[in-house]
Amino acid sequence: MIFDEEMIKKVYSDLPGKIKRIRSVLGRPLTLTEKILYAHLSADETLKSFERANDYVNFSPDRVAMQDATAQMALLQLMNSGRQRVAVPSTVHCDHLIQAHVNAKSDLNTATISNREVYDFLTDVSNKFGIGFWKPGAGIIHQVVLENYAFPGGMMIGTDSHTPNAGGLGMIAIGVGGADAVDVMAGMPWELKMPKLIGVKLTGRMSGWTSPKDVILKLAGILTVKGGTNAVIEYFGEGTASISATGKGTICNMGAEVGATTSIFPFDAKSAAYLKATGRETIADLATGIISHLQPDPEVEANPEKYYDCLIEINLDELEPYVNGPFTPDLAWPLSEFAKNVKENGYPRKMEAGLIGSCTNSSYEDLTRAASIVAQARKDGLKAEARFIINPGSEMVRYTAERDGLIEEFEAVGGVIMANACGPCIGQWKREIDDPDRPNSIITSFNRNFAKRNDGNPNTHAFVSSPEIVAALTIAGDLCFNPKTDTLINDKGQKVMLKEPSGVELPSKGFDVKDAGYVEPVADGSKVSVSISPDSKRLQELKPFPAWDGNDLIQQPLLIKVKGKCTTDHISMAGPWLRFRGHLDNISDNMLIGAVNAFNEATNSVLDPTTGEYIAVPALARKFKAQGIGSVVVAEENYGEGSSREHAAMEPRFLNVKAILVKSFARIHETNLKKQGMLALTFADKADYDKVREDDKISILGLSSFAPGKNLTIQLQHSDGSTEQFDALHTYNEQQIGWFKAGSALNAMQ
């Protein structure tokens, strides 16, 4: 089945003419990113050369994808939009709410029962608004999108930060908050700051233990977690042609870890082969017919320094496997140096669990390469010395892998096959450990490894690598094991060495599946009713946020001054809190409970200025709100790094936080704050962060003349009676200022 075939044909029939005109207006050769972005300008946008990292531009994406945890809030907002039917093809994927514990069958059954209210709600709203629905167990959103919806030259937004996975098939795919998705589903233009372009030239060809994952693990070490902010990473060069479509998806997927807006590869023979293998031969043929428009212009490849804002070259011949971590995905260690750093840093050497899967690495090729390690280990008399968990990416991947004997190989060495879902990657892992206070190490093929990300345990040191390295280290049970150089002792006391992995990009017998898990929406949704019980603990109807009262913010108390890294996991934890993603009041009880208070180095402990006692962050915010008082959050660099979850913006808004003042923002989170009518401000001088005291009252002045490019003024009233004043920067344009004044973008839509 080919989804949206007529829409894709229309995109391809229009693309050559559009690109010809774009090239003429801009007067120069085009990168692939520029071709797709400019071809998707909104009808109300004038075609001109936009300034990168400065101009806000309106686009018209081709489709929207939502996972179940973020879809709840997105659809609750859609219900308030006045729309009767979505304006573009849209889908919901039930992959986040399934907790990994026993095995696939048991865990899926538990999830179906415990989440029935939410699944029923998502089903009803999908039917009412004409949204495709993928059942629990169908697979992880980004793998399912790659198999069914991604197409070269298209543009998609998704309510998940790893939406860029579709860049592996040459699609501009961008992670957003639910309010952005509502704009597109409601048929409105979608706004994005024109991104900078980071060109990554790939030369050579990978071999042996090296895999596509190592490209992005190395790049994360180069760019760091914020080096790609407001930029698209565009891969080019002869090295791209040797990487499979799913391998390219892996690289694009984890571009989110460097803050990139998205990542993209050119269309090529590998892309066409994957499209054909997944039943989309018509799309492959159409794309092949206009291939020059789905690649950067030849002049760009010949002189890339003229067309990219930053240029990086990676020689795949010389690339070695990487292991990144712990606690941040950009701490990159080449495998040859990893063991030394484990010892020098005192990381727990014993490997306690190896996990393969997630939206980053759960394709058929990934499983075959890992299974080749497992099969050889078993043949040589080895077994897994650490707990081994595998999450297939989709039911199609799982079914095909079972047919081809891969599942049996994993189970033969003690591997446990979990549901086709995110599971431990997003904290949905009911892990059993003898002593949670004991430092321990795990290794995964996931994308993120923030503290407490996988199992909720701050003592877990999580490392990220490729599926084949995960398999090798899980067999060894030793974080310092290097499969390229080291031997293991088998059941006969013999020294054995693991052979290099071998994999299959596409199954020789083709993909197969009995029930992929797709449910088409009813033709007429007007008669479908969506009901939410007022007593529900899982779902809550949204009420509009109040509009701005027209005044400056005067002497608002400090809620928390955050020290160090503050990701969306710190602001709005996942794991067990996922069950409240459709209930804003309940989930607000997790607001900023993972953030470190700069004044006492503790989490979820802030000073109540009226009692002098330290209480939970949400409790203090609720106390202020009940008194009709707002508050201000102050933080450091790259605030809101990580997931696209807009709950991290909606919870402070709901608890009457007025402004977030930081050294710098992650892109998606800054946009989410703006969408919810909050002030997202940055220090003009980062040293001013140090001036904020624990019991300060903070005023934000100049709002009556709030305008693009015009600084606001921050005034600190200290408890000793003294005051300090400094500038705060912002990136609001006229439309976004309108959102602030209306109380939210959704309010402004009415």
Side-chain angles (χ1 to χ4, degrees):
M1 177 181 180
I2 300 179
F3 292 95
D4 314 317
E5 185 173 359
E6 293 308 311
M7 179 267 283
I8 297 172
K9 286 180 176 178
K10 179 72 165 55
V11 170
Y12 285 166
S13 67
D14 292 347
L15 198 58
K18 285 185 175 182
I19 290 176
K20 182 179 180 180
R21 181 165 177 258
I22 295 163
R23 195 181 287 115
S24 174
V25 171
L26 270 59
R28 58 173 172 78
L30 302 173
T31 65
L32 174 59
T33 301
E34 289 173 318
K35 290 179 180 180
I36 301 175
L37 286 179
Y38 278 91
H40 283 83
L41 291 178
S42 176
D44 65 352
E45 195 69 77
T46 301
L47 175 58
K48 64 178 183 178
S49 182
F50 294 101
E51 185 180 348
R52 297 174 188 171
N54 185 63
D55 289 343
Y56 283 94
V57 185
N58 285 332
F59 295 97
S60 294
D62 299 309
R63 64 172 305 106
V64 173
M66 298 165 281
Q67 40 94 337
D68 51 355
T70 52
Q72 295 172 64
M73 199 59 71
L75 296 182
L76 285 165
Q77 292 175 85
L78 179 65
M79 290 167 63
N80 288 342
S81 71
R83 187 80 189 184
Q84 302 300 312
R85 202 82 170 167
V86 291
V88 301
S90 304
T91 50
V92 167
H93 304 257
C94 295
D95 62 356
H96 271 56
L97 299 180
I98 304 170
Q99 186 179 57
H101 182 214
V102 181
N103 56 44
K105 183 177 180 180
S106 175
D107 295 346
L108 185 58
N109 183 60
T110 298
T112 301
I113 296 170
S114 62
N115 299 316
R116 187 177 304 282
E117 180 185 14
V118 172
Y119 292 150
D120 287 348
F121 167 76
L122 294 174
T123 300
D124 290 344
V125 179
S126 295
N127 275 323
K128 186 169 187 64
F129 289 92
I131 297 169
F133 183 77
W134 290 81
K135 298 183 296 186
I140 304 172
I141 176 173
H142 308 305
Q143 179 66 28
V144 173
V145 165
L146 200 69
E147 292 171 358
N148 296 278
Y149 299 111
F151 66 96
M155 184 177 186
M156 175 180 72
I157 64 168
T159 60
D160 190 279
S161 55
H162 293 102
T163 300
N165 190 81
L169 271 179
M171 189 177 205
I172 288 288
I174 301 174
V176 300
D180 280 335
V182 171
D183 282 352
V184 178
M185 289 189 290
M188 297 176 62
W190 174 66
E191 182 187 72
L192 177 73
K193 183 180 286 187
M194 183 60 76
K196 296 178 292 184
L197 297 181
I198 298 174
V200 179
K201 183 177 182 179
L202 300 182
T203 61
R205 186 185 184 94
M206 287 178 291
S207 62
W209 286 91
T210 305
S211 78
K213 184 69 165 277
D214 299 308
V215 174
I216 188 59
L217 292 176
K218 178 181 176 68
L219 191 62
I222 295 171
L223 290 174
T224 78
V225 290
K226 64 175 186 176
T229 303
N230 289 324
V232 171
I233 301 174
E234 182 173 315
Y235 295 87
F236 68 98
E238 69 272 17
T240 63
S242 65
I243 304 174
S244 68
T246 52
K248 290 168 181 166
T250 291
I251 295 169
C252 291
N253 178 295
M254 202 174 158
E257 293 0 292
V258 299
T261 300
T262 192
S263 301
I264 192 167
F265 274 84
F267 175 74
D268 59 20
K270 296 283 190 183
S271 315
Y274 186 76
L275 286 167
K276 291 176 181 177
T278 51
R280 293 172 286 172
E281 187 168 357
T282 301
I283 307 304
D285 291 341
L286 288 171
T288 301
I290 57 168
I291 190 169
S292 65
H293 301 300
L294 302 173
Q295 298 176 341
D297 284 341
E299 298 91 336
V300 172
E301 293 213 51
N303 299 286
E305 65 281 353
K306 291 184 178 181
Y307 303 99
Y308 297 104
D309 300 290
C310 171
L311 190 60
I312 298 169
E313 185 169 336
I314 296 177
N315 186 339
L316 301 180
D317 288 333
E318 299 172 356
L319 183 65
E320 66 172 297
Y322 270 74
V323 181
N324 287 24
F327 306 131
T328 185
D330 61 346
L331 185 57
W333 307 107
L335 186 60
S336 59
E337 300 175 15
F338 182 55
K340 181 182 76 169
N341 284 286
V342 169
K343 296 169 186 174
E344 289 180 352
N345 289 286
Y347 302 143
R349 178 171 175 170
K350 181 184 177 184
M351 263 279 305
E352 303 207 9
L355 302 100
I356 292 173
S358 88
C359 59
T360 320
N361 279 111
S362 55
S363 67
Y364 184 83
E365 181 184 23
D366 290 327
L367 294 187
T368 61
R369 285 180 65 84
S372 73
I373 303 297
V374 169
Q376 186 227 325
R378 183 164 65 95
K379 182 179 178 182
D380 288 343
L382 299 168
K383 60 181 178 62
E385 295 295 333
R387 189 178 182 194
F388 202 7
I389 292 174
I390 300 94
N391 285 79
S394 69
E395 176 58 13
M396 186 174 79
V397 167
R398 188 213 63 80
Y399 188 91
T400 306
E402 183 178 49
R403 179 201 67 190
D404 295 346
L406 304 179
I407 300 298
E408 183 181 356
E409 288 291 358
F410 288 120
E411 292 178 333
V413 294
V416 178
I417 309 301
M418 296 295 184
N420 313 318
C422 302
C425 183
I426 56 157
Q428 284 284 59
W429 182 18
K430 190 175 181 180
R431 185 183 178 193
E432 296 169 352
I433 185 170
D434 56 351
D435 180 7
D437 296 324
R438 171 176 55 78
N440 70 96
S441 290
I442 66 173
I443 189 165
T444 79
S445 70
F446 304 165
N447 40 46
R448 294 196 176 128
N449 57 346
F450 305 138
K452 301 196 282 188
R453 169 80 179 185
N454 303 128
D455 60 1
N457 186 347
N459 298 301
T460 296
H461 295 59
F463 298 87
V464 177
S465 195
S466 65
E468 43 269 65
I469 294 297
V470 171
L473 268 61
T474 304
I475 294 294
D478 181 2
L479 208 57
C480 292
F481 174 68
N482 183 343
K484 296 180 70 174
T485 59
D486 300 341
T487 58
L488 297 170
I489 305 299
N490 68 7
D491 55 2
K492 297 178 182 177
Q494 302 167 324
K495 289 184 177 181
V496 296
M497 187 174 232
L498 296 177
K499 294 184 178 68
E500 293 179 349
S502 60
V504 179
E505 290 182 16
L506 301 167
S508 59
K509 299 177 185 177
F511 285 108
D512 197 6
V513 66
K514 279 188 176 179
D515 178 8
Y518 175 70
V519 180
E520 189 171 354
V522 297
D524 180 8
S526 61
K527 297 181 177 61
V528 177
S529 62
V530 180
S531 60
I532 299 174
S533 168
D535 299 322
S536 173
K537 303 298 183 185
R538 298 289 299 269
L539 297 165
Q540 180 186 48
E541 291 186 11
L542 283 179
K543 296 180 180 179
F545 292 127
W548 175 53
D549 64 6
N551 299 313
D552 285 342
L553 297 172
I554 304 299
Q555 295 200 357
Q556 305 292 305
L558 175 72
L559 180 63
I560 183 173
K561 180 179 177 180
V562 181
K563 178 180 179 181
K565 186 185 281 286
C566 193
T567 71
T568 48
D569 279 31
H570 295 87
I571 305 167
S572 176
M573 289 185 179
W577 290 95
L578 283 170
R579 67 186 186 275
F580 296 132
R581 283 287 182 86
H583 198 294
L584 185 54
D585 195 351
N586 283 348
I587 200 168
S588 292
D589 282 333
N590 80 358
M591 185 191 73
L592 285 159
I593 64 175
V596 175
N597 184 349
F599 298 108
N600 62 5
E601 304 276 330
T603 57
N604 203 25
S605 175
V606 287
L607 179 69
D608 181 343
T610 59
T611 66
E613 298 177 346
Y614 283 88
I615 63 175
V617 183
L620 182 59
R622 288 185 185 277
K623 182 176 180 180
F624 288 150
K625 181 179 179 180
Q627 296 171 351
I629 302 171
S631 59
V632 176
V633 171
V634 173
E636 296 201 69
E637 299 281 7
N638 210 30
Y639 181 83
E641 169 194 346
S643 170
S644 70
R645 67 191 69 155
E646 66 183 344
H647 299 77
M650 296 186 78
E651 292 171 34
R653 184 73 172 96
F654 178 74
L655 294 182
N656 210 30
V657 175
K658 299 297 186 181
I660 311 291
L661 175 62
V662 303
K663 293 182 180 179
S664 65
F665 283 105
R667 176 193 64 84
I668 300 176
H669 188 65
E670 183 181 20
T671 300
N672 286 345
L673 289 168
K674 292 177 179 180
K675 284 280 187 176
Q676 300 306 328
M678 291 193 67
L679 287 173
L681 308 176
T682 58
F683 292 99
D685 181 352
K686 294 180 181 181
D688 289 334
Y689 167 89
D690 298 322
K691 296 177 180 177
V692 180
R693 301 179 190 175
E694 191 169 22
D695 53 0
D696 276 351
K697 296 292 179 64
I698 303 172
S699 298
I700 301 175
L701 311 176
L703 290 174
S704 60
S705 56
F706 194 9
K710 184 177 181 180
N711 295 352
L712 296 173
T713 300
I714 305 296
Q715 187 179 81
L716 304 178
Q717 177 73 49
H718 300 313
S719 58
D720 62 7
S722 64
T723 62
E724 292 186 79
Q725 195 164 289
F726 52 82
D727 279 2
L729 308 176
H730 67 83
T731 61
Y732 287 76
N733 60 22
E734 290 289 0
Q735 177 175 259
Q736 295 165 350
I737 291 172
W739 300 342
F740 167 74
K741 291 180 177 178
S744 71
L746 190 60
N747 289 357
M749 186 188 297
Q750 305 303 316

